[in-house]
Amino acid sequence: MYFIEGVVEIWLTSEDLGAYGHDINVTLPQLLWKLVEVIPEGARMRLGMTNPPYILEHLEEMAKILNHPRVYKFLHVPVQSASDSVLMDMKREYSQADFRHVVDFLKQRVPEITIATDLICGFPTETEKDFEETMDLVDEYKFPSLFINQYFPRPGTPAAKMPRIPAQQVKKRTKAVSELFQSYTPYDHKLGEVQNVLVTEVSKDRQYYVGHNECYDQVLVPKDEHLLGKLVEVQITETGKHFLKCALTKNVFRPDVPLPLKQGQVSGVSQVQTSSRTNILVTLSFIVLVIAVLVKLQTLLFSGT
């Protein structure tokens, strides 16, 4: 439906995408292959977060799907901690070896894939040794996207009743892993590459358009209104911690979808329906105005007697 309205990018997201279908006897790959069939040439799909236990069931098929030209080579797989004892205390149903297997398998089968992950610093049972294991994991994989969180007790959970690590110690660990994350630049090797980038939004400073290459890296594109919604070929001219900058080549082409809806059009409603609704609203507004005028006249007439 949305592709006929000019949509060029869709996101699939949930609390745990990998768990899809367990209650209806369907697998996640089955869903994804059906979606790939209807995504137009040049448009792309981004997959959301999945925890290691569920993705482990479908690694072979997921690698094939992530290699498809209409799917971003991107996956968000939370690890939270690289310590098995902490993962056990968190009631996570996986080990750090499971996480490593998922990442290593996908990196081997899906060239240049981007793996994003999450960390929790200062879980009540996390020792200095446990934290060092997490630091070693980050240093080894150098994740380009890393979400770092301080532990916060959720009411009603077993961990909420555990003695907490002193706040200063938690801050110290958070700072240490944040500094490690900031110490490396994951995109240096992409300088000079020629890439196809799907342009979908405006940068926060409104100086650039933002596009994403096949690995979902953020690419800052010259702000030309003709590029929005287009798949463009670019050459990378600058790399940063969280972005790439580029120069356009001569190749610009639009995904195989209609032009996007005009501003003010309602998604999922045909133009005829939209026009009809607009006419109805105009008519109702006119009726309300007439009633207001009549009431005012009546008030003036009665006040004059």
Side-chain angles (χ1 to χ4, degrees), residues 62-114:
M62 288 303 298
K64 294 176 185 176
I65 290 164
L66 289 165
N67 270 312
H68 197 282
R70 283 170 248 166
V71 180
Y72 285 113
K73 296 180 178 182
F74 171 91
L75 201 61
H76 182 179
V77 187
V79 64
Q80 309 299 7
S81 172
S83 164
D84 285 344
S85 62
V86 172
L87 290 173
M88 187 178 299
D89 292 338
M90 287 180 174
K91 308 299 182 185
R92 304 281 168 175
E93 298 178 350
Y94 57 89
S95 65
Q96 64 127 335
D98 292 330
F99 175 81
R100 286 176 177 273
H101 178 60
V102 169
V103 176
D104 292 343
F105 185 94
L106 292 177
K107 279 181 169 289
Q108 182 181 19
R109 304 295 182 90
V110 188
E112 296 293 319
I113 187 173
T114 295

Side-chain angles (χ1 to χ4, degrees), residues 236-250:
I236 303 304
T237 57
E238 183 182 340
T239 63
K241 176 64 180 176
H242 302 288
F243 66 87
L244 303 166
K245 286 185 180 179
C246 68
L248 297 174
T249 68
K250 295 180 180 179

